[in-house]
Amino acid sequence: MGLTVAKNPLGEVATDGSKYVVAFMAEPPQTPVDAVLDGAEIGDDRYIVDGTEMYVWCPRGLRDSPLMTILGKAKSGPSTTVRNWNTVEKLLTLMG
């Protein structure tokens, strides 16, 4: 968790922890996320995949995120849990 927070690759643009999430994947995706999103219009959303973590910035919120909508409908991919940045930081604090 500490490395996840230390990396924070979208920290310069992600200004609201409730709209910035990390998807923790059980394994790296077999189909690259770029291929899943090929040709899709994701608006102002941004993402970075780093191994088994995907950092996602949704400035208009997760509910209205075109990126999260597309990813949510993807048929393949590893088991994943998603936590917003506020929760990630709280978990790190709890871990000491």
Side-chain angles (χ1 to χ4, degrees):
M1 193 70 58
L3 188 54
T4 299
V5 172
K7 287 180 184 178
N8 192 8
L10 295 174
E12 290 186 20
V13 296
T15 57
D16 181 340
S18 69
K19 297 176 182 178
Y20 182 31
V21 300
V22 182
F24 297 95
M25 299 175 279
E27 60 189 29
Q30 291 184 9
T31 303
V33 174
D34 291 343
V36 172
L37 298 173
D38 187 38
E41 177 54 51
I42 63 169
D44 295 329
D45 291 357
R46 298 290 172 259
Y47 71 94
I48 292 178
V49 178
D50 184 4
T52 58
E53 295 172 348
M54 181 174 177
Y55 299 80
V56 182
W57 167 236
C58 305
R60 295 187 179 152
L62 299 179
R63 186 189 66 180
D64 297 325
S65 164
L67 175 59
M68 294 303 282
T69 298
I70 294 165
L71 293 175
K73 293 178 181 179
K75 299 292 184 209
S76 62
S79 295
T80 303
T81 187
V82 178
R83 298 291 178 262
N84 75 32
W85 195 255
N86 294 335
T87 300
V88 169
E89 288 185 321
K90 287 176 187 173
L91 289 170
L92 178 61
T93 299
L94 289 172
M95 292 172 61

